[in-house]
Amino acid sequence: MADLRNRPKPFEMRSLTVVAQDPSIRRGSKILTTKLSIPAESLEPGPRGARIQVIDYDSHTGKLYKPRAKNLDSDVLQSGWANSDIEDNPEFHAQNVYAIAAATLFRFESSMGRHVPWFFSQNAHQLKIAPHAFLDGNAFYSRADQCLAFGYFKGQRNKWIHTCLSHDIVAHETTHALLDGIRPFFDRPSSPDQAAFHEGFSDIVAILSVFESPEVVSFVLGPDADGFPGLIESQRFTFEALRRSSLVNLAEQVGSELTGIRQTSLRESLKLEPGHYLNDDDRQDPHSRGEIIVAAVLRAFLTVWVRRLEPIIGVKSRLARRDNVVEEGSTAAAHLLNMTIRALDYLPPTDLTFSDYLSALVTADVETYPSDKPYFYRQTLIDSFSDYGIEPASLSGEHPGQWAPPPGRPVHGFSHADPMK
């Protein structure tokens, strides 16, 4: 058992190093990393916390990687680390999946303002994570096994590729587990939109959570302007320039190594031009159909980011301060990420449509920010979804697209307060 005398204080946080996106994204020759701030719970070897436990068993080789037994509160990566410390060190792989899963869980609970359960039998409290579960270029969430399982495979250059090192993939699979706990009936047979929502929503959370990182946003913008340290050319952050960035794609390294085509991601939703795709035969598969709402949300994100920059760069300015541009991008991503998560509480328990989700997005934001000014997140989302043939499910709310409240007022006269204490 963990030593309760050393238990951290409530809301105390710790920072752990993770791969910023995946090992193919590098600053110079070094893999781009970032630090995630997560609750500083007492950890047992694994790492094993109250809600997440890493069990590093490889079913292909039959090997159980021994968890780090000491210095559980310290970062695996220290100064002077090499790329091999990231790519080949099982201890870092365990830290990477634990930290990203813990940060995703913390983001959900912070956004929703409450405890978010896993949907496991027998009221199990821990999500198990296997960083080297099997030999294959795949990863999945299993409700029956109460786990996230990540595969690994030999890439095009005979080099081991680990899906557990993709920030996108870890956040995506953790989101599947969290969504399953919040809306467990979404796995039942229903409309094509309901099956696709699980995939699309998990992609949205994965990509926006990556963009919360200032290191990632700074990397997207490229180097400083020649001769102007700390400044960048304004032409780099137009909508089209940002849309072409590889950082809005999902799992670039895994996709390129599986296909053999460099710079090909598993999914590249922003390449999906506006249009009405819902009735297309090739958009009935959950993954391809889910890309429709991913494209709509990401287009809204880039539109708002550019809009937030207008007061900074003006109309004629050629240069802008890098830190200001980075802050605006991270802020826009964080706001939209909160909206996408809070919307889950405004969804029906089953038979979901994309139109329902759009109204839930609007309603969740109205409850927190009654005014949509000055950046018009809600209207931008409505316009972006409309570009893909998706209109709000509600037309009777006070605000465009908002769910209308139930008629009348709740009556509490028949509530038995004493038994509820």
Side-chain angles (χ1 to χ4, degrees):
M1 295 293 292
D3 187 349
L4 299 182
R5 294 171 298 178
N6 297 323
R7 176 174 290 178
K9 298 177 183 178
F11 303 112
E12 184 178 343
M13 306 294 284
R14 69 158 56 94
S15 294
L16 291 177
T17 302
V18 299
V19 176
Q21 189 184 28
D22 67 40
S24 71
I25 305 300
R26 306 192 177 198
R27 177 176 283 120
S29 61
K30 297 197 72 172
I31 296 171
L32 185 68
T33 62
T34 188
K35 284 187 176 290
L36 294 182
S37 184
I38 59 175
E41 60 177 337
S42 296
L43 294 174
E44 296 179 358
R48 177 182 180 180
R51 305 291 309 283
I52 297 168
Q53 178 183 6
V54 179
I55 304 174
D56 202 356
Y57 176 72
D58 186 338
S59 63
H60 176 68
T61 63
K63 180 177 182 179
L64 177 64
Y65 289 94
K66 186 176 180 180
R68 189 163 48 126
K70 297 180 180 179
N71 300 321
L72 291 175
D73 291 337
S74 66
D75 201 317
V76 170
L77 291 188
Q78 305 297 331
S79 59
W81 54 267
N83 288 341
S84 59
D85 296 322
I86 291 177
E87 296 178 302
D88 305 325
N89 185 350
E91 288 187 1
F92 176 76
H93 296 185
Q95 173 175 298
N96 194 70
V97 294
Y98 167 79
I100 296 173
T104 306
L105 172 62
F106 181 67
R107 163 57 74 189
F108 269 70
E109 295 191 331
S110 298
S111 297
M112 305 187 84
R114 59 181 174 83
H115 170 81
V116 177
W118 311 116
F119 189 75
F120 300 146
S121 60
Q122 301 175 347
N123 296 318
H125 297 293
Q126 288 178 324
L127 176 71
K128 284 74 174 178
I129 305 180
H132 310 96
F134 51 86
L135 183 65
D136 191 19
N138 200 359
F140 61 84
Y141 157 67
S142 170
R143 177 195 289 183
D145 296 323
Q146 306 175 7
C147 81
L148 306 181
F150 296 93
Y152 63 97
F153 62 99
K154 277 286 183 71
Q156 299 295 318
R157 291 167 292 178
N158 205 35
K159 184 178 181 179
W160 288 112
I161 306 298
H162 298 273
T163 62
C164 68
L165 291 179
S166 168
H167 193 298
D168 302 320
I169 293 176
V170 178
H172 176 99
E173 299 303 335
T174 306
T175 301
H176 274 308
L178 288 163
L179 181 55
D180 194 36
I182 297 167
R183 287 290 183 268
F185 295 128
F186 280 5
D187 75 329
R188 303 286 180 86
S190 183
S191 66
D193 285 0
Q194 181 165 291
F197 180 75
H198 240 291
E199 297 300 333
F201 177 73
S202 297
D203 281 358
I204 290 167
V205 172
I207 296 173
L208 290 181
S209 64
V210 168
F211 266 90
E212 279 192 298
S213 165
E215 290 84 359
V216 170
V217 177
S218 181
F219 181 86
V220 171
L221 298 174
D224 290 345
D226 292 339
F228 297 94
L231 300 178
I232 54 177
E233 292 91 351
S234 58
Q235 64 187 18
R236 297 185 192 172
F237 37 83
T238 64
F239 179 92
E240 283 302 318
L242 293 172
R243 187 171 78 98
R244 291 192 297 268
S245 165
S246 65
L247 271 295
V248 294
N249 298 330
L250 183 71
E252 179 179 356
Q253 184 193 44
V254 174
S256 63
E257 293 291 347
L258 283 172
T259 63
I261 304 172
R262 194 63 185 157
Q263 303 300 323
T264 297
S265 307
L266 287 182
R267 289 188 281 284
E268 298 177 311
S269 301
L270 270 177
K271 290 186 177 180
L272 186 65
E273 296 291 343
H276 293 195
Y277 301 97
L278 295 177
N279 294 324
D280 290 0
D281 291 339
D282 60 351
R283 291 290 168 181
Q284 304 308 307
D285 167 78
H287 289 92
S288 59
R289 191 176 185 85
E291 285 192 328
I292 298 172
I293 60 169
V294 179
V297 172
L298 292 186
R299 280 181 169 271
F301 162 57
L302 296 186
T303 299
V304 171
W305 186 4
V306 172
R307 185 177 296 144
R308 293 181 67 98
L309 294 175
E310 289 174 356
I312 297 174
I313 64 175
V315 178
K316 299 180 180 179
S317 176
R318 186 179 70 86
L319 300 173
R321 289 182 58 86
R322 171 179 291 275
D323 54 356
N324 289 341
V325 177
V326 169
E327 181 181 3
E328 295 300 331
S330 297
T331 301
H335 186 104
L336 275 168
L337 184 55
N338 277 330
M339 287 179 68
T340 61
I341 294 171
R342 282 198 300 264
L344 298 179
D345 273 345
Y346 296 85
L347 292 178
T350 189
D351 296 329
L352 172 74
T353 67
F354 289 161
S355 293
D356 292 333
Y357 184 56
L358 177 55
S359 283
L361 280 167
V362 172
T363 306
D365 196 58
V366 167
E367 294 293 323
T368 310
Y369 303 98
S371 174
D372 199 23
K373 297 178 181 179
Y375 300 115
F376 302 99
Y377 285 89
R378 296 195 293 270
Q379 190 58 53
T380 303
L381 282 166
I382 290 172
D383 293 342
S384 187
F385 272 71
S386 180
D387 288 342
Y388 290 92
I390 303 169
E391 302 298 334
S394 173
L395 300 175
S396 55
E398 180 181 353
H399 299 264
Q402 178 190 14
W403 289 121
R409 300 179 62 183
V411 177
H412 302 288
F414 298 99
S415 299
H416 298 284
D418 289 341
M420 295 172 62
K421 294 181 179 179

